[in-house]
Amino acid sequence: NNNNNNNNRNASKQQQVDERKRVLADPRFAMLVCSMAEMAAGCDASISIKEGSDLVVQWEKRVDEVTKRQQQQHRGGGGSEVREADRVLNAIVGTAIPTAGVTAGALYDDHGEAGDDNNDASEVLARTYMSKLSSNHANTQKFSSRECSNVCWALAKLNLAPPGDALPLGRVIVAKSPSSSSSSRHFSSMDEMSLDTLSSSLRVREKLFEEARNRRLGGSGGGGSSTANGGWIPELSRLAGKVLDLIAMQIVDEYGLRNVKGGGDDGTKGSSSKFNPQEMASVLWAFAKAKRGDDALFSTVAKELMRATEFELEKGGGQGPKPQELSNTIWAFATAGIRGQTQVELVKFIADALDDGRGRFFGLQFKPQELANTAWALATLHSKRDDVGGIVATSTEVAREEDDGIVRVLRWVARDLVERVDSYKPQEISNSIWAFSTVGFGYDETCGTNSHNDYVHVATDDPKGDKELVYETLEVIAENAVSRVDRFKAQELNNMAWGFARLGHRTERTDRLLGGVANELVQRTWHFKPQDVGATLWSFATIEYFDRDAFRAGASRLNFRFIRSFKPQEMSNTVWALATAGFAPKYIHAFDTSLVPAQQRPTKDAIMKDPITECFAAVASEVMRRPHEFKDQELKDVLWSFSKIGVRHPALFQKMAKHIVGRNGRGFASFSSQGLGNTLWSFAKQAQLSQEVIDALGDSVKLVSTGRLAVYETSCLDIGEDVIKRLFVRAAEAGMDTGLSRFTNQDLSNTVWAYSTLGLLHTVFFKQVEKEVVSRMKQKRVKFRGQELANILWSFATLNAQPDETIVDELSIYLTSLCRGKNGIDVQSIAKIFGQRQELANLAWSCAVIGRYPKELMNILYMGLVGTSNDPEHTKQVFNDNGLQKSSIMTLYYVQVAADIEAPELKLSLPTGFPNGWGEGEGEEHKHAKGDENDLIEMSSSMLTLTVSRLQKGVSKTFDRIGFDNILEHVIDTNEIKDEYGVQLPQSPKEFLSIDIANIGKKIGVEVDGPGHFVCILDKPGKPTAPVSLKNQFDDRGENRVNGPTILKHRLLTHLGWDIIHLPYWEYQHLKGDKNKEMDYCQGLLEQSSKW
């Protein structure tokens, strides 16, 4: 039945298209439009076409002569003649017009002036010739209100007139000012506008005559004539637009006079006809449909509608506008996109009418369609508030007035839906929900929302009451719609799901309804347009309704064959939804040309067998093909989706990096703070995913390095070292230009995490981030999440960004306040702030790197990590985890050693028997979710490196040659530290620290610092200069700075009595294998140690 209904609808639409083509191609219709245009222009019906044509041609010649004479005088003359020429030219183009009284033009005069000594030559000419064309006034007819309505309706219905951006609106302008619309065609008078319309009409008639003559001479107008087969239609289209413009000016002239000067008791003073609300509402509908309306026309009609209605209400006659006319009028404003003071007054007027009539208007009940259309219009206009200037966009008071009117109307819509939802058609239900969600009416921020769902809510004086009303309404709709979900069109299903998601409404009834929508998506996949696919999946993902079949069905639409029919937003919404819902491609390594050998990547045929893999492949190909069509947010969402779901695509990311920061690239200037942070996060995550590729494919991976160095090396392989550095430099500059105050806490967290992941440091940017974070913690302007604080401080520590110690002190004060619950600070209150214990471990490790241990902060961190009662099961239950991860356990060892030596007064200790019972459960393999950064954090915090590089071996041999006995990778375990150094560690032995090259007897260690021990300083470029010495071995070396893990490891080893010498890799490589130079270099390093 659904297929039959859709086929019938498609056949009906095609029939309408065919009928329209037949009408437009019929010469009789064109002649009818010409006659109509001539009547609208006020032409005397008794004047023959030849006579009229001669007069119009004469007028055009006279205008040309005046123009040419003025141009010649301007080139060759001076003094008064030049001034006269300028006056005539200005008059012809309509910049200054003398008028008597208030006319249509007066409403378009930005200064309110009625002209001056600039005698209007063009107006005089136009008046002279129009007087001849309409001399027999007995035969000159004007359109009545009903005729205007019918003419406009027909032209709009046939879609004959071009929109305003194709043929600028024709308007009478009294005095052009800098604020006048440069996109309008300006006329000095109605007469001049009428003549221009007549001129166009004659051109159509000439083309029709040429067509008829060709047919008479040669049959079907052969010979390649431009008029053959409807060659007059383009000019006919322009004529239709001019007719609408002329009627618009006549309406403004007719009713604008009344609104400016004020009408009589019956509202007809100064007007030759009485306003008919139904007809004028129909006129506005037509102008909105034809896209040829402006504020002057719409305001004139709306003011008259409100004036006439108020008169009828005062009179008590009950003959005012019907609900449909109110609905159609505000619908026209919304469709035309016209906002302004009158529009706000109209919103208030409709709200007052509903309130005063208790939901009725002049005793008549609004039909569901009228209420739904009104709601749609109000929401549409509200959503465009920031897109236009003027008083509504800038005045808080006017905005509040509009919000108040919108809320009052939507309350009536919601009540009516509850009362008679069965009377509402699917489209009316869909439009109503769309309206509620677009303005955030009754929004519930506690239910099923997502951070991707971010918009401004309409102001209300009763948020609790509105939330309860909308909750009841959505429950009624969900129950009703699920029983007839098969009658909803795809777009209506999309709007309904989108509305529930935006409003955060998730209940059992909602799930049943979403299940119905999902089933329809599966059953009617190809009935869903690209926009419907993307938005529906976005809604499912946002409200966290994950139906695998529905997501696969939606993804199947974005295939190689049809992807070019999808717009950027539709593509970005779809992959964002798939990534958010966690539906990964079957072939996760399909696009990794940097690391995965070709023979281990699937063929295109294999990719096309999995709809999700093909969807990601097709979207990537389109982004690379047409990146300029994607908005910043859309581009960001696509990149984020690939990284979030764990799909590496080096070609895509390289293309986008060059698109952003390459020659003539788009740059970051227009990116939002969220867009900036998420984009950098996506690039960093792509590189970090190399660890998963290494784990999955092992030795077949085309990568030499491991650990943190592998992450940076991967980014260089994927993007290119110069490009990735330039990307992060430009991002830092853009962030500082934008102002960090505009960044959310999450934006700041994502951004600094990306820099630290790749080992890139922009010192000035990080210093500004530090100031911003400290300021927010002091002022408590916005609440930080535990993860955000952990990521920020971890990034500073990892990069050795050298923040002021006050950042840790302020963090201590802030968290002490934040973690205090009803019962003070306990494990439960800490768990409300920190979702994972790894976040607490990261903060503790960061404090150790920075070397600052505030008592209150350290107590909170230890309490959250290991509780207070030596009960690991209780702590697991509170945090809802399987125990501490390996990285957290190792981190606690390092922190315990550092704090016991550097802050013994804290008396921190780990539970007896730790880590037994505290780690993740035996036999339970903990699987990190995509986007989990724990693997990288473990690499950062671990100081146990048991791999020996070729460089290490070479250095060790050189030290052997100069008599320095050494062993490679000397390991210090926890028992040795506890027994020999008295550090408070549990009995359970654990390998803890390693030294690259060690002389155990003298306790001299040599750390061969490869690239993984350094960060790159982006705003301090340059090569290392002076060779390293023990006194300055942690100074910046050109663009290189020792990272945080290396700093902490050095401090711990020093505390344990070791002399540690750091050997930067580039200094040794610079010796180029010269044995003597290598021996001299190593000897020089040893001589700096007091123990040698």
Side-chain angles (χ1 to χ4, degrees), residues 216-229:
R216 185 174 183 180
L217 296 176
S220 60
S225 171
S226 63
T227 61
N229 300 320

Side-chain angles (χ1 to χ4, degrees), residues 709 947-959 968 996-997 1006-1014 1063-1073 1078 1081-1082:
L709 181 57
T947 58
V948 181
S949 68
R950 182 181 302 176
L951 178 60
Q952 261 181 264
K953 292 179 181 179
V955 173
S956 175
K957 290 180 179 178
T958 300
F959 276 108
L968 290 170
D996 291 344
I997 299 171
V1006 178
E1007 285 286 284
V1008 181
D1009 290 341
H1013 289 264
F1014 298 92
L1063 187 154
Y1065 70 95
W1066 66 83
E1067 289 190 357
Y1068 196 82
Q1069 290 176 341
H1070 185 68
L1071 302 177
K1072 298 181 180 180
E1078 290 173 350
Y1081 175 78
C1082 291

Side-chain angles (χ1 to χ4, degrees), residues 323-325 327 365-375 428:
Q324 183 181 8
E325 281 127 32
S327 174
Q365 186 177 30
F366 279 76
K367 297 177 182 178
Q369 182 182 16
E370 294 159 358
L371 284 173
N373 284 353
T374 301
E428 294 156 2

Side-chain angles (χ1 to χ4, degrees), residues 950-1016:
R950 182 181 302 176
L951 178 60
Q952 261 181 264
K953 292 179 181 179
V955 173
S956 175
K957 290 180 179 178
T958 300
F959 276 108
D960 282 336
R961 293 191 194 102
I962 63 174
F964 180 74
D965 294 333
N966 66 88
I967 62 172
L968 290 170
E969 296 298 346
H970 171 61
V971 176
I972 302 172
D973 65 24
T974 53
N975 276 355
E976 180 181 348
I977 295 174
K978 180 177 183 297
D979 296 339
E980 294 188 22
Y981 303 102
V983 177
Q984 299 300 315
L985 288 176
Q987 293 289 343
S988 178
K990 191 82 173 177
E991 292 183 334
F992 183 63
L993 291 168
S994 67
I995 303 174
D996 291 344
I997 299 171
N999 183 307
I1000 300 175
K1002 295 183 179 294
K1003 283 198 172 180
I1004 298 176
V1006 178
E1007 285 286 284
V1008 181
D1009 290 341
H1013 289 264
F1014 298 92
V1015 300
C1016 176

Side-chain angles (χ1 to χ4, degrees), residues 143-190:
F143 284 131
S144 67
S145 173
R146 182 175 182 179
E147 291 162 348
C148 279
S149 170
N150 289 345
V151 167
C152 296
W153 182 90
L155 293 177
K157 192 71 174 177
L158 284 166
N159 194 23
L160 179 56
D165 57 358
L167 176 68
L169 306 184
R171 293 295 184 258
V172 175
I173 305 295
V174 172
K176 187 177 179 183
S177 76
S179 62
S180 298
S181 174
S182 60
S183 61
S184 297
R185 294 177 298 114
H186 299 155
F187 296 92
S188 64
S189 65
M190 290 292 292

